[in-house]
Amino acid sequence: MESFNPCLDCGICCTHFRISFYWGESDEAPGGFVPAALTEKLTPFRSCMKGSNDVPRRCIALQGVVGEQVACSIYEHRPTPCREFPVYFDNGRPNPKCDELRAGIGLPPLPDPHPMGCGLA
Ligand code: SF4
Ligand code: SF4
């Protein structure tokens, strides 16, 4: 079965949000997993992905051309906010914030519902 991943030609969310998280997710902390070299400290307790606190905003881990072909260079080690931003909800409906961001760069809305059923995003 072919997979369906609309993020691979999008990536706009990685240039839109400040990607901040509890600093203990960075690998400078025991049990952390996000490469610390790609993060910057916001407060004693919070860090963010480098580039995501700048204008123009673009996470340092994003590779490729937004709206054409992209990849996250630390996908297996990305922080919690990236893991928790859904493309689709469990009911198979698309995240309206994705469609809003995609429209801003001329990408079509996400198929509604998910073309492969529920919970497969
Ligand atoms: S905005 Fe939505 S569709 Fe685009 S890359 Fe982010 S999660 Fe994927
Ligand atoms: S860590 Fe990866 S998924 Fe998260 S904002 Fe950066 S490029 Fe996007």
Side-chain angles (χ1 to χ4, degrees):
M1 180 184 289
E2 273 189 34
S3 62
F4 167 70
N5 188 344
C7 298
L8 296 179
D9 59 9
C10 181
I12 185 63
C13 56
C14 307
T15 70
H16 181 76
F17 298 109
R18 186 176 72 177
I19 311 296
S20 66
F21 46 91
Y22 175 59
W23 80 275
E25 290 190 20
S26 89
D27 64 10
E28 65 191 315
F33 47 90
V34 182
L38 303 185
T39 72
E40 65 181 53
K41 275 280 174 61
L42 291 171
T43 72
F45 301 106
R46 293 198 70 77
S47 296
C48 73
M49 293 303 298
K50 280 183 179 172
S52 76
N53 196 31
D54 301 332
V55 178
R57 205 183 293 274
R58 180 180 167 120
C59 174
I60 193 173
L62 185 67
Q63 296 179 327
V65 179
V66 170
E68 294 184 13
Q69 188 173 34
V70 292
C72 173
S73 64
I74 58 163
Y75 188 77
E76 298 299 328
H77 303 283
R78 66 200 189 288
T80 300
C82 308
R83 297 169 188 272
E84 293 185 343
F85 185 72
V87 190
Y88 280 85
F89 299 111
D90 286 346
N91 64 4
R93 304 300 300 276
N95 182 344
K97 188 67 184 177
C98 285
D99 281 343
E100 178 189 322
L101 293 175
R102 288 168 63 87
I105 56 170
L107 287 179
L110 295 163
D112 184 9
H114 191 291
M116 295 169 70
C118 296
L120 292 171

